[in-house]
Amino acid sequence: MLKNLPEAWSPYLKDQVESDYFNRLQDYVKREYELYQCYPPKDQIFRALSLCDPGSVKVVIIGQDPYHGQGQANGLCFSVNPGVPHPPSLANIFKEMQQDLGKAVPESGDLSHWARQGVLLLNATLTVRESEAGSHQGQGWEQFTDRVIGTVSGNFSDIVFMLWGGYAKKKEKLINTKNHHVLKSGHPSPLSANRGYWFGNQHFSSCNQILKKLGKEPIDW
């Protein structure tokens, strides 16, 4: 079930997939999907990697957990399927984007178009049980996704890492900050945003300014 990594990532992650911890993780996830309603759909568990080959990564955004409501999660952090109401964090992401770039708030909360431009939208935990936030944490996903972050950091240069909130900021230890660019702010959740830790961070324009200086195509947010 979890052995079918996107081909482009396989050379970097093959040893993880063949490890004991990953075999245990696969057994756990398989059992969870058999016994409970889990998200995202099985064929979208690795969607963040599928839409963004390692060599095309320009930006990394790190989330914690997939959405656990029906029809929301689509394998990309902070993203929801078209037609699904924007969850609070995503709504605040779009508000900041509107203030920063002067762009209208998108009708759809699907961030696939970001991923296709080289934005790796990676949750630390790639699956979750319905209505139980964090239910698949501590089963091995974090070890795997830490390796994904380390792969991007160690094999490429001049990637923009956008670390939103305390959990994402802890991942900075996996990043070679001499070779990459790190933007940090509070989390876009209402609790953080309403305390002044999110709005005004201007991460979207800052990221594009960095990409332009590097001679890379900026992201059409």
Side-chain angles (χ1 to χ4, degrees), residues 61-76:
I61 298 176
I62 300 168
Q64 190 165 354
D65 221 29
Y67 295 121
H68 52 81
Q70 186 176 7
Q72 289 182 306
N74 62 11
L76 307 175

Side-chain angles (χ1 to χ4, degrees), residues 57-62 119-120 122 149 152 159-162:
V57 176
K58 298 178 183 176
V59 181
V60 177
I61 298 176
I62 300 168
V119 182
L120 180 61
L122 185 70
I149 296 167
V152 173
I159 308 296
V160 182
F161 288 84
M162 297 162 78

